[in-house]
Amino acid sequence: MKTTLDVPDQVLRKAKAAAAVRNETLSDFVTAAIEARLVDTSTHDRFGWKSLFGLARPSDVAAVDRIVSRDLEPVDRAWSAGVPPAPAGRLGRP
C-alpha cells in the first residue's frame, strides 16, 4: 500500500543511508523498522530489555546472562556492602 508520511529530513537521510548500506530499498527498510516496533509485547515481557537488541535468540541471551551474572553479580554484592571495586584486570575468569 502506498502512503505519505511526514519524516524529518535528518531521519529520512539516516534511513536512506542505512538502507543503502544494507542493500535494501527504502521501502523495505521502513517496513522492517515498523515491523520491529510492532513486535508482540509478550516478547518484551519474556526477555526484558534484551528483546530490544535485534530480537536475539533466547539461547544467545541466556549465554550472555550467564556471563554477566558470573562476572558482575559479585561486584554488585560487594558494591552494595560498601566494599571498593576490585582493581582493573581482576574481574572475570581466564
Side-chain angles (χ1 to χ4, degrees):
M1 171 187 346
K2 289 187 178 206
T3 192
T4 302
L5 299 172
D6 253 343
V7 179
D9 290 341
Q10 178 111 3
V11 173
L12 185 58
R13 279 193 291 275
K14 288 180 181 180
K16 285 180 178 181
V21 166
R22 292 179 171 103
N23 201 28
E24 296 177 333
T25 66
L26 181 59
S27 181
D28 288 343
F29 180 83
V30 170
T31 299
I34 292 171
E35 287 173 344
R37 284 293 295 237
L38 294 174
V39 170
D40 187 330
T41 56
S42 64
T43 301
H44 295 285
D45 293 340
R46 274 195 325 222
F47 305 114
W49 64 269
K50 297 151 210 106
S51 64
L52 300 175
F53 292 92
L55 300 173
R57 293 185 310 229
S59 60
D60 293 339
V61 172
V64 170
D65 273 344
R66 282 191 299 276
I67 294 167
V68 168
S69 293
R70 180 193 74 204
D71 290 349
L72 296 181
E73 286 186 11
V75 174
D76 288 341
R77 284 192 299 273
W79 187 273
S80 296
V83 176
R90 298 207 32 212
L91 290 178
R93 297 184 182 148

